[in-house]
């Protein structure tokens, strides 16, 4: 029960994070750097206070941190070129990628229902955008959203192997720290943070880093440890529901009927993907 509550709270905060992509007038890469730096500092202080559950850095954690960085950069880029709703629907494809990755780990043959699940994802994405011309910003945003979905799925499957015997906040610290180190050279190469840097903006970056990153990421890892990567995937599939609802209320992004139908297909696919597959043993 605690693990499921942790997952739902984390997913609601992840959905809320998307709105900051519209509120913070920075380049998407700079936003990700801000949230990861803040999250790493907060988690680092927390670990110093507790002095328990220390996890030592490793090449595997560095790779996971890089994957996390790419996931967030793709997600905020999707918001920048389109909107929060399109980004979330593209991201909602990730349970199908979890299905593919778990298939690869377990070696199980694809079934008819598995193929139907993949078809539902394709249909749900097709419902989201009418014109798939790359000149269409909605199509660009959806493509970036799908990239964020794939990298998140990869991260979920990889993270499950680190949850055994390790404190969630320690794992979250290293993931965010490595993500920040991965992004910093990119931001410097772009000439630093561009856009407004005032008290209001910095306050929003802090909220994004603390609530929607440090706390949310720790809660999500707690949920994965208690339920497994596939259960985490089905709960995380509700992120578009939370996020689109918040974008509707706070940003005025009213979803069309076509968008709502596409979202329902993607959520259905997520349920099937999670229900059909048992996770492979952790090596």
């Amino acid at each position: 029960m605690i693990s499921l509550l942790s997952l739902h709270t984390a997913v609601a905060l992840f959905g809320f994070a998307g709105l900051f992509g519209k509120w913070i007038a920075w380049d998407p890469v700079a936003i990700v750097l801000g949230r990861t730096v803040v999250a790493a500092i907060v988690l680092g202080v927390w670990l110093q206070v507790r002095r328990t559950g220390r996890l030592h850095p490793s090449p595997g954690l560095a790779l996971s941190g890089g994957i996390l960085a790419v996931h967030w950069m793709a997600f905020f880029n999707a918001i920048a070129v389109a909107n929060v709703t399109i980004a979330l629907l593209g991201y909602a494809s990730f349970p199908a990628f979890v299905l593919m990755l778990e298939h690869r780990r377990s070696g199980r043959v694809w079934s008819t229902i598995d193929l139907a699940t993949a078809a539902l994802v394709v249909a749900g994405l097709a419902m989201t955008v009418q014109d798939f011309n790359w000149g269409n910003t909605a199509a660009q945003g959806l493509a970036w959203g799908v990239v964020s979905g794939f990298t998140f799925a990869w991260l979920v499957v990889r993270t499950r192997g680190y949850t055994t015997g390790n404190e969630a906040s320690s794992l979250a610290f290293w993931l965010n720290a490595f993500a920040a180190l991965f992004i910093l050279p990119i931001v410097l190469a772009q000439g630093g943070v561009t856009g407004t840097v005032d008290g209001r903006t910095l306050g929003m970056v802090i909220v994004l880093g603390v609530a929607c990153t440090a706390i949310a990421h720790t809660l999500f890892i707690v949920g994965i440890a208690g339920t497994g990567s596939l259960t985490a995937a089905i709960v995380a599939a509700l992120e578009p529901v939370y996020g689109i609802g918040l974008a509707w209320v706070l940003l005025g992004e009213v979803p069309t009927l076509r968008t709502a139908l596409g979202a329902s297909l993607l959520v259905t696919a997520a349920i099937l993907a999670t229900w059909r597959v048992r996770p492979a043993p952790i090596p």
Side-chain angles (χ1 to χ4, degrees):
M1 180 64 181
I2 294 177
S3 296
L4 282 174
L5 181 61
S6 296
L7 282 175
H8 278 282
T9 303
V11 169
L13 289 171
F14 285 150
F16 186 47
L19 278 66
F20 288 86
K22 289 296 185 183
W23 288 335
I24 300 174
W26 288 1
D27 179 90
V29 181
I31 294 176
V32 177
L33 177 62
R35 78 179 295 185
T36 52
V37 167
V38 170
I41 291 173
V42 171
L43 290 167
V45 171
W46 173 250
L47 290 173
Q48 285 294 322
V49 171
R50 290 188 50 131
R51 296 187 178 277
T52 59
R54 292 299 181 85
L55 179 65
H56 297 291
S58 67
L61 280 175
L63 175 59
S64 293
I67 295 170
L68 177 63
V70 174
H71 158 66
W72 275 334
M73 285 190 292
F75 181 68
F76 280 105
N77 204 52
I79 294 172
V81 300
N83 56 42
V84 175
T85 299
I86 293 294
L88 285 168
L89 290 177
Y91 157 83
S93 64
F94 88 87
F97 291 120
V98 172
L99 177 70
M100 293 168 57
L101 293 170
E102 290 287 0
H103 264 293
R104 189 171 183 273
R105 293 180 64 178
S106 64
R108 189 166 68 85
V109 178
W110 284 72
S111 68
T112 302
I113 293 183
D114 295 335
L115 294 173
T117 300
L120 280 173
V121 171
V122 174
L125 294 175
M127 289 289 291
T128 304
V129 179
Q130 293 180 341
D131 182 9
F132 281 90
N133 187 323
W134 188 246
N136 182 7
T137 57
Q140 294 177 28
L142 186 65
W144 281 114
V146 171
V147 172
S148 76
F150 170 73
T151 48
F152 187 75
W154 190 8
L155 184 66
V156 166
V157 174
R158 285 182 56 84
T159 299
R160 182 171 167 265
Y162 288 103
T163 56
T164 304
N166 295 313
E167 188 178 1
S169 55
S170 182
L171 177 55
F173 165 75
W174 284 113
L175 290 176
N176 280 281
F178 279 122
L181 289 174
F182 180 86
I183 297 167
L184 180 59
I186 301 175
V187 173
L188 293 176
Q190 292 179 345
V193 176
T194 58
T196 303
V197 181
D198 54 18
R200 177 177 177 275
T201 302
L202 293 176
M204 287 191 292
V205 172
I206 291 173
V207 172
L208 176 62
V210 175
C212 300
T213 309
I215 295 175
H217 206 168
T218 300
L219 289 174
F220 193 75
I221 293 170
V222 169
I224 293 176
T227 63
S229 60
L230 291 171
T231 301
I234 191 171
V235 175
L238 295 175
E239 181 176 335
V241 178
Y242 290 127
I244 291 172
L246 289 168
W248 187 350
V249 174
L250 299 177
L251 296 179
E253 294 183 5
V254 181
T256 63
L257 177 60
R258 185 185 180 98
T259 298
L261 289 174
S264 66
L265 291 177
L266 290 166
V267 172
T268 301
I271 294 172
L272 286 177
T274 306
W275 178 58
R276 288 288 297 170
V277 180
R278 293 181 182 274
I282 300 173

